[in-house]
Amino acid sequence: MAKRVMLIEDEPNIIEAISFILSREGLDVETHADGTTANDRLRARVPDLVILDVMLPGKSGYDILRELREDTVTAGVPVLMLTARGQSRDREMAERSGVSAYMTKPFSNAEMLGQVRDLLASAV
């Protein structure tokens, strides 16, 4: 059975690119663009990995991550945060919230895919 990845991102071009790359890798990709309902969606169908943007409509990726870590159902799911926010304080905030890996946009497809593979392998 294919591993499931939930991509929480609101930029259509990034959604399309990441979905294509991960699908080509044999992963089942589900997308969601609304920060307000992201955690409800995650609890309803817990994925093997979450790829999370920081700046989302309704709720920030940091808030989503904190809620995800506080919920026993989703606490152990690896999270790769992809964001245009590359300041050290942004990375530190993500680490305090429990992020598994942090990458800034723009990113190379190969680097992102490598990070996804590593996180999925370590989650087994």
Side-chain angles (χ1 to χ4, degrees):
M1 186 163 92
K3 297 276 186 173
R4 290 187 307 103
V5 177
M6 171 74 76
L7 172 60
I8 303 172
E9 167 69 58
D10 64 326
E11 180 59 45
N13 293 335
I14 294 174
I15 293 169
E16 184 177 344
I18 292 175
S19 294
F20 175 76
I21 292 163
L22 297 180
S23 296
R24 195 174 62 194
E25 187 71 11
L27 299 169
D28 177 20
V29 182
E30 184 176 341
T31 64
H32 192 71
D34 182 12
T36 307
T37 58
N39 279 314
D40 291 337
R41 187 77 169 266
L42 286 166
R43 280 189 298 278
R45 190 165 182 229
V46 179
D48 296 296
L49 172 70
V50 174
I51 300 176
L52 179 62
D53 188 12
V54 170
M55 295 178 283
L56 293 162
K59 189 181 288 188
S60 81
Y62 299 122
D63 292 333
I64 293 167
L65 178 58
R66 274 191 290 277
E67 291 173 13
L68 187 119
R69 292 297 181 235
E70 291 169 358
D71 188 325
T72 57
V73 174
T74 57
V77 175
V79 176
L80 169 59
M81 192 166 268
L82 287 179
T83 179
R85 301 182 68 139
Q87 301 293 324
S88 60
R89 65 183 172 83
D90 296 310
R91 183 180 296 267
E92 290 166 5
M93 189 179 320
E95 289 171 357
R96 280 194 307 273
S97 298
V99 77
S100 307
Y102 188 93
M103 294 181 72
T104 56
K105 298 174 188 174
F107 52 87
S108 81
N109 293 344
E111 183 182 9
M112 185 272 305
L113 186 55
Q115 194 67 255
V116 166
R117 287 177 182 146
D118 290 348
L119 289 170
L120 286 171
S122 67
V124 174

